[in-house]
Amino acid sequence: MKTFAVFGNPIKHSLSPIIHKLFAEQTGILQKYKRIYVPLNNFYEKFSDFIKSGGNGANITIPFKKKAYKLCNIYTRRAKYSGVVNTIKIMKSKEILGDNTDGIGLLKDLKNLKFINPKSKILLIGAGGAAQGIIYPLIKFGCSITIINRTYKNAKNIIKYFNNIKNLNCIKLEYFSKNLFNQLKYHLIINATSSSIKGNIPNIPSLIIKPNIFYYDLFYNISITPFLRWCRIYGAKKISDGIGMLIEQAAYSFYLWHGIMPNTKIIIKKFKKNYLY
Ligand SMILES: NC(=O)c1ccc[n+]([C@@H]2O[C@H](COP(=O)([O-])OP(=O)(O)OC[C@H]3O[C@@H](n4cnc5c(N)ncnc54)[C@H](OP(=O)(O)O)[C@@H]3O)[C@@H](O)[C@H]2O)c1
């Protein structure tokens, strides 16, 4: 039986093993899938142990997606463009193939939710591995993106990585004013920070909240996420957490490993029924 795992820190909250179990049941494929907790400085060692013990592929989550990119020696086109890897497949030749399914998974969920169209103007909060991974498919779809991040330098590095392409820019948190925000007229605001993991919200003024804007939190939880709760308190009407993205990106990983695409609609429905809001 093939063995897969999700690597991260923290990792306890990850629903990936449950989702992959449902995919395996749905498609009749036998696979093992486990969580692997990785101490912050031990990613390469842990990964190499996994390969030596016969691991066939992996998902990589917070905060190792940029490191994962470095350990691969071949890439899918979308991984190459984004510079971060969330899915790895060990090839028969033993080469390590890196893919990024976050962006395509998010885009699919945003389309399902009708939160996006090719002209959408997006404010992206956060500049970590997930933020970097979702930019290319969204820009390719036609959207424009402004990044805002706690550490400005990290947002600037992403702009540099994408070679100052059209439709992608960043602004400093301290320049963010009501006038500027009203001028920019965003349709969709995405929280791609990991602040929710510790129950926090990013340090962003509540002036970004309006009833006609869509709010999407990449994070997911068994109840409403701290960011979405805050959005709701200030009057947001159209909100979603990242559970749909999680399932869609997992399906693209499953497809890379097994060549079969699970039916995500059924699984998203199952998960959403268990949510409190
Ligand atoms: N739904 C899904 O399928 C899916 C997929 C991927 C990721 N995610 C979620 O996306 C989030 C980010 O993951 P990642 O891999 O990008 O993590 P990461 O590489 O560690 O990046 C973390 C980002 O969050 C920011 N941040 C952390 N704590 C903050 C705080 N208290 N206030 C403001 N900003 C803060 C960091 O800002 P600095 O640059 O200032 O450090 C950085 O921009 C996680 O919650 C993860 O679970 C969900």
Side-chain angles (χ1 to χ4, degrees):
M1 192 190 305
K2 289 190 172 170
T3 303
F4 301 89
V6 55
F7 288 71
N9 180 343
I11 198 64
K12 254 198 333 223
H13 71 286
S14 173
L15 295 178
S16 295
I18 301 171
I19 292 167
H20 279 276
K21 187 163 176 275
L22 294 172
F23 288 168
E25 283 166 9
Q26 193 190 68
T27 57
I29 282 181
L30 286 178
Q31 65 166 10
K32 266 195 215 157
Y33 189 106
K34 56 186 176 185
R35 292 184 187 89
I36 296 184
Y37 171 81
V38 185
L40 288 177
N41 290 321
N42 254 0
F43 177 68
Y44 296 119
E45 269 172 41
K46 281 271 181 191
F47 194 80
S48 128
D49 290 348
F50 176 69
I51 305 290
K52 280 183 203 147
S53 69
N56 301 95
N59 287 128
I60 312 297
T61 186
I62 172 175
F64 301 115
K65 292 180 183 186
K66 288 184 189 166
K67 282 192 173 160
Y69 185 88
K70 289 189 186 146
L71 70 75
C72 298
N73 39 29
I74 43 173
Y75 299 91
T76 61
R77 179 193 266 249
R78 55 189 180 227
K80 190 89 202 155
Y81 277 117
S82 64
V84 277
V85 155
N86 79 327
T87 304
I88 285 176
K89 179 177 181 177
I90 308 301
M91 308 299 283
K92 280 196 186 115
S93 59
K94 295 293 169 211
E95 281 178 302
I96 305 175
L97 171 68
D99 191 7
N100 192 308
T101 64
D102 277 342
I104 190 166
L106 171 67
L107 185 58
K108 189 152 177 218
D109 195 40
L110 290 172
K111 284 183 188 169
N112 290 343
L113 293 163
K114 304 199 174 13
F115 270 29
I116 198 165
N117 68 60
K119 294 210 166 94
S120 296
K121 290 176 83 179
I122 302 173
L123 180 67
L124 175 61
I125 311 169
Q132 186 165 328
I134 63 180
I135 286 172
Y136 167 67
L138 294 178
I139 296 269
K140 199 167 157 235
F141 185 58
C143 303
S144 61
I145 301 178
T146 304
I147 307 174
I148 190 159
N149 189 47
R150 179 177 64 180
T151 311
Y152 180 66
K153 194 174 120 238
N154 294 342
K156 247 349 229 178
N157 284 343
I158 292 190
I159 305 291
K160 234 190 257 165
Y161 179 83
F162 285 102
N163 265 327
N164 296 306
I165 47 164
K166 219 173 82 188
N167 293 340
L168 178 66
N169 58 50
C170 62
I171 42 181
K172 278 191 176 159
L173 204 51
E174 53 271 35
Y175 293 164
F176 210 63
S177 64
K178 192 170 184 176
N179 280 348
L180 182 67
F181 183 73
N182 289 341
Q183 239 173 32
L184 294 171
K185 292 195 172 33
Y186 294 106
H187 304 107
L188 168 64
I189 298 186
I190 299 176
N191 177 28
T193 73
S194 56
S195 60
S196 290
I197 292 177
K198 290 194 176 148
N200 300 320
I201 50 166
N203 183 20
I204 297 279
S206 57
L207 63 88
I208 67 160
I209 300 177
K210 292 184 187 265
N212 59 334
I213 297 180
F214 297 103
Y215 297 85
Y216 193 96
D217 193 350
L218 259 50
F219 190 67
Y220 52 86
N221 206 346
I222 49 160
S223 58
I224 189 163
T225 70
F227 176 73
L228 294 180
R229 189 183 309 116
W230 175 75
C231 291
R232 224 185 212 181
I233 289 169
Y234 283 93
K237 299 274 183 255
K238 305 159 183 176
I239 61 172
S240 176
D241 68 12
I243 196 74
M245 169 186 176
L246 180 77
I247 293 168
E248 298 293 359
Q249 63 77 29
Y252 284 102
S253 299
F254 192 88
Y255 181 75
L256 183 81
W257 297 332
H258 303 294
I260 297 177
M261 196 67 180
N263 181 335
T264 50
K265 272 198 181 132
I266 297 172
I267 291 169
I268 291 177
K269 229 187 225 169
K270 229 182 224 183
F271 264 84
K272 291 210 163 162
K273 235 174 51 189
N274 297 330
Y275 274 56
L276 298 178
Y277 65 100

